[in-house]
Amino acid sequence: MIMNNELYKLIYAIITILITSGCFGYINYNILEKLTVIVDRPNKETDKKQKIMIFTGVNVGLYWILTTVLNCKISLSILLVLLFDVVGTIWIIKPLIELINSLINKIRNTSGQSYTDNRETRDYIFNTNKYQAVYIFDFENNLITCGWLDYQQAADNNYFDLALMPFSDTMNITYENVRDQIISDNTNSRIIVDFEKKIKIFVKRITPD
């Protein structure tokens, strides 16, 4: 009986160390990052650690309630914490963060400030369920390439490349024609200006039938 009690304490201590060390908190962070709910720049490692610490605190609190207050078994408590990390992150934490961000933007709007978003500009524009016609010009308005967007690498990889499906006909594609199309349908059109690479990317969105 004493051995079982000591073993229980040892297992409890090990699991507690794993949870408090941030292993479980990273699951929350990773899911939210993949859903682009939170985005940290490569040079913002401190912010990332702080968010993981917050999620770790939530996991520790939940684990303590399950094992101490509700007297759940360790194995069941671990499963419930992991379930919360996956399902709870998607159905509870994600909507809560989005609600907070929405309220913040409403406050910014009423005070005359611009809308703010965590996502990189490229992810904000390209991540949509619409078809996207992409036209890339240099700063001298020369066409570099164009086509339907097939794939774009996430901006957090710190590298910018696009996979395009070429148009069947590019004879009449000029800077003036593309610019006029974008201006005439500015609701479904966007322009990315990359001053570092000296290119302008015109994006026209088309809703699938």
Side-chain angles (χ1 to χ4, degrees), residues 12-186:
Y12 184 88
I14 293 174
I15 298 300
T16 302
I17 291 173
L18 287 175
I19 295 176
T20 55
S21 66
C23 295
F24 282 46
Y26 184 78
I27 297 175
N28 304 99
Y29 179 89
N30 192 49
I31 292 174
L32 292 171
E33 186 181 40
K34 297 302 182 186
L35 295 173
T36 66
V37 176
I38 57 176
V39 178
D40 288 320
R41 308 296 181 264
N43 59 343
K44 296 292 185 180
E45 191 66 25
T46 301
D47 290 345
K48 177 179 179 179
K49 290 179 180 178
Q50 289 175 346
K51 292 183 178 72
I52 292 177
M53 286 175 62
I54 292 173
F55 296 136
T56 298
V58 173
N59 283 302
V60 170
L62 178 60
Y63 182 70
W64 179 82
I65 291 173
L66 290 170
T67 56
T68 305
V69 179
L70 301 179
N71 293 318
C72 294
K73 293 182 178 180
I74 292 179
S75 57
L76 177 61
S77 299
I78 295 172
L79 288 175
L80 290 175
V81 171
L82 287 174
L83 182 65
F84 171 78
D85 283 344
V86 178
V87 179
T89 299
I90 297 173
W91 292 100
I92 299 175
I93 298 179
K94 177 179 179 290
L96 182 60
I97 293 177
E98 290 175 338
L99 175 62
I100 294 173
N101 289 336
S102 176
L103 292 174
I104 291 174
N105 279 313
K106 286 182 179 179
I107 295 173
R108 289 175 62 89
N109 185 50
T110 55
S111 61
Q113 300 181 64
S114 61
Y115 177 85
T116 181
D117 195 289
N118 290 326
R119 290 173 292 177
E120 293 273 7
T121 302
R122 297 198 309 271
D123 289 339
Y124 173 74
I125 291 179
F126 289 129
N127 288 349
T128 175
N129 60 352
K130 296 181 178 181
Y131 297 123
Q132 297 181 88
V134 178
Y135 308 85
I136 304 177
F137 295 88
D138 61 23
F139 274 15
E140 283 72 43
N141 300 332
N142 298 310
L143 179 65
I144 298 176
T145 189
C146 59
W148 296 103
L149 180 66
D150 185 45
Y151 175 80
Q152 72 104 9
Q153 191 173 33
D156 58 7
N157 290 308
N158 202 28
Y159 186 81
F160 188 18
D161 59 1
L162 297 173
L164 303 179
M165 297 176 61
F167 295 134
S168 57
D169 182 15
T170 60
M171 291 294 294
N172 297 319
I173 296 179
T174 65
Y175 176 80
E176 289 74 17
N177 289 339
V178 173
R179 180 196 59 194
D180 292 342
Q181 288 183 42
I182 297 297
I183 293 174
S184 64
D185 189 15
N186 56 10

